Amino acid sequence: HIYTYTATFVAVFSMVGYAIHVQYRGEKHDLNFDTDDLTVGQVKDAIEQNLSVPKSAQQIICAGRKWVGIAFSDDTPVADAARGKCKEVMGVKSLTLMLTPMGGAIVDKTPELAKIEEEVSQIRKELDSLTTSSSPEMFSKGEKLVIDLMSKASIKLDDLQLVGAERDRKKAMLREIEQMEEELLKLKAAAKST
């Protein structure tokens, strides 16, 4: 048992990196980094990816100081930018930041994406209801409906300017629509051969 405790003890005390706590829209978001050489640019990239706030619209505040200007460029080490405000616990540096959007509020696209996700689900249901055993008129009618719904959803997605996790959701929905287009083409070929 002594050996097990020793291994655990060494593992706990050999941890390094940063635990960045970002306050945004009344919620705390934790970003963890496994490096001691963390830069302001890496933090901004992580915020863009995880919170969907574009780097160009981020205003970061640490202990009352805004991280703007030459002193806080993307290649500035976080240790320098934080100016001694990091708390270190077992090798992990902890820092709390406040994020506010520059130039006004960032428009949350989550409700819009959720609505389009519902539309994509409806397209899936319509596509799944198409059968090659339907009459040619019924199949054609269902095919036109699915094509129309896919076109509308694709256009809505193409019109959205997103970053980070929201952009990843958008890409996933576009891939799903492309997959459904391929399925529709296979169904149409099967319907013609019957």
Side-chain angles (χ1 to χ4, degrees), residues 15-180:
M15 294 189 313
V16 295
Y18 280 86
I20 306 289
H21 312 289
V22 181
Q23 295 287 337
Y24 178 59
R25 291 188 177 166
E27 295 181 22
K28 182 175 140 184
H29 305 272
D30 295 325
L31 305 173
N32 296 303
F33 301 89
D34 295 330
T35 180
D36 273 337
D37 301 326
L38 186 64
T39 65
V40 170
Q42 290 170 310
V43 172
K44 288 180 177 182
D45 288 340
I47 289 171
E48 180 176 276
Q49 180 61 35
N50 292 289
L51 304 179
S52 298
V53 178
K55 284 176 73 168
S56 62
Q58 293 175 17
Q59 180 170 278
I60 298 173
I61 302 170
C62 176
R65 292 193 66 170
K66 291 181 184 177
W67 284 7
V68 295
I70 297 171
F72 300 98
S73 66
D74 281 356
D75 60 347
T76 301
V78 167
D80 293 347
R83 298 201 176 159
K85 299 301 180 186
C86 289
K87 296 176 186 171
E88 191 166 334
V89 179
M90 296 190 303
V92 177
K93 295 168 192 75
S94 178
L95 182 65
T96 299
L97 305 175
M98 183 187 305
L99 174 66
T100 59
M102 286 196 290
I106 299 289
V107 178
D108 184 9
K109 301 288 185 178
T110 305
E112 219 171 322
L113 282 172
K115 183 178 178 187
I116 297 171
E117 280 176 328
E118 288 176 21
E119 292 173 13
V120 170
S121 294
Q122 183 60 37
I123 296 167
R124 169 56 63 198
K125 289 176 187 173
E126 293 293 334
L127 181 60
D128 289 346
S129 71
L130 277 178
T131 62
T132 55
S133 62
S134 300
S135 69
E137 297 83 26
M138 288 300 293
F139 185 85
S140 178
K141 184 178 176 181
E143 175 192 18
K144 288 177 183 175
L145 175 63
V146 168
I147 290 171
D148 183 55
L149 293 173
M150 283 190 293
S151 296
K152 288 178 180 177
S154 294
I155 290 169
K156 288 178 186 177
L157 287 168
D158 286 340
D159 288 344
L160 291 176
Q161 299 299 315
L162 306 171
V163 297
E166 290 178 342
R167 180 181 53 217
D168 294 342
R169 284 175 65 192
K170 171 184 168 177
K171 287 179 182 178
M173 283 188 274
L174 287 169
R175 280 192 301 273
E176 186 174 354
I177 291 170
E178 287 175 5
Q179 180 184 4
M180 288 189 286

